[in-house]
Amino acid sequence: MTTKIIKLDSLTINKIAAGEVIERPSSVVKELVENSIDADSTEITINIQEGGKKLIEIIDNGNGMSHDDAVLAIQRYSTSKIRTADDLFSIYSLGFRGEALASIVSVAQVEITTKANEDELGTLLSVEGGEIKIDKKTTASNGTRIAVRNLFFNVPVRRKFLKSITTEINHITEFATKLALAYPSISFSLNHNGRSLISAPKGELISQIASIFGNKVAKACISIEKKENNHSITGFITKPEFSRKSKDYMYIFVNKRPIFNKLISDAILQGYGTAIPGDRYPIVFLFLDLPTEEVDVNVHPTKKEIRFSEEPFIFSLVESCVQKSLIDSGLKIFERINDTKIQPTLFKEISKERTVSSKQFPKVIKTKATVEDKTSIRMIKRRDKTIEYFLPEGERKEEEEFHVEKKASIRVIGLIKNTYIIAETEEGLLLCDQHAAHEKINYSKYLNQLENKKISIQKLLAPVSVRLKPSEFQMIEEMKIQLKYYGFDVEIFGKNEILIRSIPSIMGVTISHEVAKDIIDIFKEYNKEIKEKLVLEDLGFIKEIISLFACRRSIKAGDKIPVREAEKLIAELLSLKEPFTCPHGRPTIIILNEKYIEEIFQRDYR
Ligand SMILES: Nc1ncnc2c1ncn2[C@@H]1O[C@H](COP(=O)(O)OP(=O)(O)OP(=O)(O)O)[C@@H](O)[C@H]1O
Ligand SMILES: [Mg+2]
């Protein structure tokens, strides 16, 4: 009888296993730099070529390896960091699986030069696809140099799926940033194609923050510190006005390991309370030192995930610590109300229940419609005759005629709370949310200019400079042409700094430093979308840019506007093809017709 099953050879096993540990160039950097840190290095240099596709070289001045250790190190499951399974419950080093080097050498051409302090000569190993090609003694300084060339040279499918050089180098830079923050006592430098991206000499955490994020961020830092039993929190948070649109500025470390953890980021946000709007995130550098037995890092092959045994305790520790530091710095903090407590929208209720009672009317004011509700204004009319809206059903042609005809018959009566314009029309009472209306007008203008490739630009009298993280800098530099297409003229201004020279003119004549930072965050967040999608209306990015300006600059809820301007605003809004919802799908105009008003006054005797 023949057998179909064979035992795989170790090279194949390693190649398969490498898939779990080594996803992309940044995983190689992560594994090698973690090894350098575990080897007590005080200086680590990372040299990258072509986003790591061509070369990843890590040079450290750590303990180095003896010849025999170096040969063992590239075997699977060989580690100097744990001895038995019991050690898994108290891990102090970054590595412990003994898998990283074995994985890397099985999928790349690797050269290792290493020398332990006590040895006279070092070792040079050249390994290709897991096979040792050269093994000889060599002169070397103390420490280890590992050069990884042509990653995935023998796994063409994976090589093909590597992302662009920018994406890969961004991952690497972000990772190096996190390690530089976690280990301020180590000098880190990162170079890409010979250009320096990070140079963070050893020092205190705050000096690392200053050298990576700039002095402004460093100056805005509020130090935090709390110790309870064996649990401690240290680091810095920043004042709410430094909040960002992106979560990427929340740096969280547990036992010096950079982590993503929803529990902790939620606790931080809860600590900030309502000091930061729900869609923004603070800049924080938070270090939790927890007993190793309460933290499980052995959950995920790349140690990305982490589990805590005392979740509620950790949550309240972080929340209270953040809150106290903010209060101590002179801020008043109000508790954040959970989003789920927000009332369901009127439109959703209507579409579910298919009837509208007059009792539901007051909820219109609280309406928070979502994008899916775009068509709901018309739906209401179709489903229930008691509320009618401005737009008669039917063809676009009908709409256009209607606008021309009705514009003249709108009489603005006044404003409620400087937020809603009230006007009288032949159809009934018109309520217009002035902020939403203005946002929609700007959105349509901008879209129109983009469609016609005639973007109108405002040159800033005083260009605004923005200091970027090294990873952002790379991306924004690559996106200069796209930025220009959307009306933003950006110039590289020294290391990790850019100047915004012009902005789309619908956004005014000037921008604040905060808005400039938000623009960068938006471009960064939508960089893939901007590069890939061509249909402008589909770009969530444009809505973000417009609402950014609408919130900061165009007419806000609460701004007092003269009647003439209110009339102009409504007329301009109604001249648009789809005037009834703002870019985010919220209503801009609501009309209460005579019949409806009669009904709420119970005059429906006819
Ligand atoms: N830069 C370095 N300096 C000194 N020793 C090193 C260095 N890199 C690796 N080593 C040695 O090689 C061994 C194997 O490294 P490898 O990264 O494969 O496994 P690990 O770090 O023990 O565990 P993990 O797979 O979780 O990273 C390490 O345990 C360490 O003893
Ligand atoms: Mg390791």
Side-chain angles (χ1 to χ4, degrees), residues 222-226 233-237 284-287 318 321-322 324-326:
I222 303 169
S223 130
I224 62 168
E225 200 168 347
K226 185 161 181 162
I233 303 182
T234 52
F236 296 97
I237 57 173
V284 300
F285 307 97
L286 205 87
F287 292 81
V318 173
C321 176
V322 169
K324 185 173 178 304
S325 309
L326 288 170

Side-chain angles (χ1 to χ4, degrees), residues 18-63:
E20 282 192 0
V21 182
I22 305 301
E23 287 171 290
R24 58 196 322 161
S26 67
S27 358
V28 175
V29 176
K30 173 182 184 292
E31 295 300 339
L32 295 183
V33 174
E34 285 188 352
N35 282 346
S36 300
I37 294 171
D38 283 343
D40 296 330
S41 308
T42 56
E43 236 179 272
I44 300 175
T45 303
I46 309 165
N47 294 320
I48 306 291
Q49 275 176 25
E50 312 286 315
K53 294 181 196 183
K54 194 170 167 201
L55 172 77
I56 298 165
E57 182 188 50
I58 314 283
I59 305 165
D60 71 42
N61 65 347
N63 299 331

Side-chain angles (χ1 to χ4, degrees), residues 45-170:
T45 303
I46 309 165
N47 294 320
I48 306 291
Q49 275 176 25
E50 312 286 315
K53 294 181 196 183
K54 194 170 167 201
L55 172 77
I56 298 165
E57 182 188 50
I58 314 283
I59 305 165
D60 71 42
N61 65 347
N63 299 331
M65 288 175 271
S66 68
H67 169 267
D68 294 355
D69 272 352
V71 172
L72 263 179
I74 57 170
Q75 315 277 325
R76 236 182 142 201
Y77 308 128
S78 339
T79 179
S80 58
K81 299 170 191 176
I82 57 169
R83 298 268 156 210
T84 67
D86 287 345
D87 296 342
L88 277 175
F89 298 99
S90 52
I91 294 169
Y92 293 95
S93 53
L94 292 165
F96 57 83
R97 305 156 305 181
E99 268 192 289
L101 278 182
S103 297
I104 295 167
V105 297
S106 70
V107 292
Q109 294 154 341
V110 181
E111 202 176 275
I112 304 175
T113 316
T114 185
K115 183 175 108 56
N117 300 357
E118 58 275 16
D119 292 343
E120 210 148 281
L121 280 176
T123 305
L124 171 78
L125 287 182
S126 171
V127 196
E128 214 174 288
E131 277 181 64
I132 298 182
K133 301 274 176 184
I134 300 172
D135 175 354
K136 62 174 190 186
K137 290 209 176 319
T138 182
T139 48
S141 37
N142 291 341
T144 304
R145 170 185 165 273
I146 301 189
V148 178
R149 291 196 171 81
N150 302 323
L151 182 63
F152 298 134
F153 79 103
N154 54 354
V155 201
V157 202
R158 300 210 69 164
R159 188 155 175 95
K160 215 172 91 195
F161 280 102
L162 286 178
K163 297 275 189 289
S164 71
I165 290 179
T166 319
T167 310
E168 297 301 344
I169 192 69
N170 279 343

Side-chain angles (χ1 to χ4, degrees), residues 464-466 468 473 476 490-493 497-500 520:
V464 182
S465 76
V466 186
L468 305 173
F473 183 71
I476 295 299
V490 163
E491 189 183 300
I492 303 302
F493 185 60
E497 200 152 349
I498 54 156
L499 275 187
I500 300 188
I520 300 301

Side-chain angles (χ1 to χ4, degrees), residues 138-313:
T138 182
T139 48
S141 37
N142 291 341
T144 304
R145 170 185 165 273
I146 301 189
V148 178
R149 291 196 171 81
N150 302 323
L151 182 63
F152 298 134
F153 79 103
N154 54 354
V155 201
V157 202
R158 300 210 69 164
R159 188 155 175 95
K160 215 172 91 195
F161 280 102
L162 286 178
K163 297 275 189 289
S164 71
I165 290 179
T166 319
T167 310
E168 297 301 344
I169 192 69
N170 279 343
H171 277 100
I172 293 172
T173 316
E174 197 50 28
F175 180 72
T177 300
K178 288 177 181 162
L179 283 182
L181 291 169
Y183 296 90
S185 58
I186 301 177
S187 288
F188 278 96
S189 55
L190 167 67
N191 308 300
H192 186 223
N193 296 343
R195 184 167 137 188
S196 159
L197 296 183
I198 294 182
S199 64
K202 62 178 161 201
E204 301 285 313
L205 172 61
I206 195 74
S207 63
Q208 302 291 65
I209 294 175
S211 63
I212 299 172
F213 299 87
N215 284 333
K216 267 195 186 139
V217 171
K219 278 189 189 143
C221 281
I222 303 169
S223 130
I224 62 168
E225 200 168 347
K226 185 161 181 162
K227 209 172 160 103
E228 226 173 287
N229 309 328
N230 299 329
H231 307 71
S232 87
I233 303 182
T234 52
F236 296 97
I237 57 173
T238 51
K239 295 197 177 127
E241 55 268 33
F242 280 79
S243 71
R244 303 291 301 229
K245 282 188 75 62
S246 146
K247 280 183 199 157
D248 295 352
Y249 283 78
M250 292 175 80
Y251 289 94
I252 303 165
F253 302 83
V254 170
N255 297 346
K256 296 209 163 191
R257 231 179 253 281
I259 55 147
F260 294 106
N261 185 277
K262 197 166 165 353
L263 177 90
I264 296 182
S265 46
D266 282 354
I268 297 170
L269 293 174
Q270 193 74 25
Y272 271 85
T274 53
I276 288 184
D279 57 350
R280 299 185 69 85
Y281 305 91
I283 304 182
V284 300
F285 307 97
L286 205 87
F287 292 81
L288 277 94
D289 232 326
L290 307 176
T292 47
E293 64 275 13
E294 282 182 23
V295 185
D296 189 356
V297 287
N298 199 13
V299 185
H300 190 270
T302 63
K303 306 168 196 149
K304 247 188 255 168
E305 284 171 31
I306 186 162
R307 251 186 239 140
F308 305 106
S309 56
E310 307 288 333
E311 290 195 348
F313 174 74

